[in-house]
Amino acid sequence: MEKLIDQHGEAQFGIFPQSVSDINYLDFDLRNSMGKPKGSLAKKLHFNQFQFISFTCDTLIIGLAIVDLKIASNCFVYLFEPDTGKFEEFSFTNLLAFNTAIDTKPNTGSAHFYKGANSVVISCEHSHQRKVTVNLKAGLKIHAVINESVNYNPLAVCVRAGFTGFHFTQKAAALPCSGIVKWQGEENGS
């Protein structure tokens, strides 16, 4: 499906086997509880987005997210080494979602979060690769590529949320990944 919101401002509800190219939320006919249309500022402020990615390899479990709530944004990265129990988490917040952006195109867009010397970038390309780059002031570096060209069959679902809203999610699991992680003076890669 090309766009999630149709020409009448209605969200398309259901499961989308071929995913959705654009979550065109500004075209949504958002209304208040009395049925009156809300303006574009309200549409922007009520549209929350997040990207979450998790990796596993022989030695590490890694998770990271960029969350845009418009009034604030958050980014977190965690690493866990099951054999030793070593765990570390990093979390950053930006008021008014400053230096944070998440594209509305789940299969070709990008997301980024910057705070000082800390950056997390997730980008998708037409070559069916999702690239993840993490550079933190504490020394953590992650450069990973997720291959979405083989067996990529995301679960894409849109459901009603509240009186007049909608919720869209797209999830994929068990995709091949390669990259390098530099954490606490050690380098892991595959």
Side-chain angles (χ1 to χ4, degrees):
M1 173 180 287
E2 187 65 30
K3 295 187 178 205
L4 184 64
I5 309 304
D6 69 15
Q7 67 273 16
H8 305 292
E10 297 293 324
Q12 309 295 310
F13 298 115
I15 298 172
F16 306 101
Q18 301 304 314
S19 186
V20 174
S21 297
D22 188 11
I23 305 165
N24 54 322
Y25 73 96
L26 289 174
D27 295 334
F28 183 63
D29 184 17
L30 182 64
R31 295 184 175 259
N32 66 20
S33 59
M34 300 302 289
K36 295 191 181 218
K38 289 190 172 187
S40 61
L41 179 60
K43 290 180 187 183
K44 288 179 185 178
L45 292 176
H46 285 95
F47 187 70
N48 298 325
Q49 296 171 274
F50 71 92
Q51 291 249 338
F52 176 79
I53 292 183
S54 176
F55 310 103
T56 60
C57 65
D58 293 339
T59 58
L60 291 174
I61 298 171
I62 301 167
L64 60 96
I66 298 172
V67 180
D68 181 358
L69 302 176
K70 306 305 184 258
I71 60 170
S73 60
N74 176 258
C75 179
F76 66 81
V77 181
Y78 66 82
L79 299 97
F80 176 62
E81 192 174 58
D83 291 344
T84 65
K86 187 166 65 170
F87 174 81
E88 190 167 17
E89 179 181 13
F90 305 89
S91 182
F92 310 96
T93 301
N94 285 333
L95 290 177
L96 301 176
F98 185 69
N99 285 327
T100 306
I102 300 176
D103 201 320
T104 61
K105 297 174 178 12
N107 297 308
T108 59
S110 64
H112 69 258
F113 181 97
Y114 303 112
K115 178 137 189 169
N118 303 295
S119 68
V120 175
V121 178
I122 304 166
S123 61
C124 301
E125 299 179 357
H126 293 289
S127 60
H128 303 290
Q129 292 184 341
R130 192 171 303 263
K131 295 181 181 181
V132 178
T133 305
V134 176
N135 289 299
L136 301 186
K137 184 179 180 180
L140 174 65
K141 296 195 180 309
I142 300 172
H143 299 283
V145 177
I146 302 167
N147 182 347
E148 295 179 344
S149 65
V150 179
N151 298 325
Y152 184 61
N153 186 21
L155 172 63
V157 178
C158 184
V159 296
R160 188 171 306 283
F163 179 67
T164 63
F166 69 92
H167 174 78
F168 176 83
T169 189
Q170 179 170 306
K171 300 177 183 209
L175 298 172
C177 178
S178 61
I180 294 174
V181 177
K182 293 181 183 177
W183 177 42
Q184 296 185 348
E186 297 178 21
E187 185 173 314
N188 292 285
S190 64

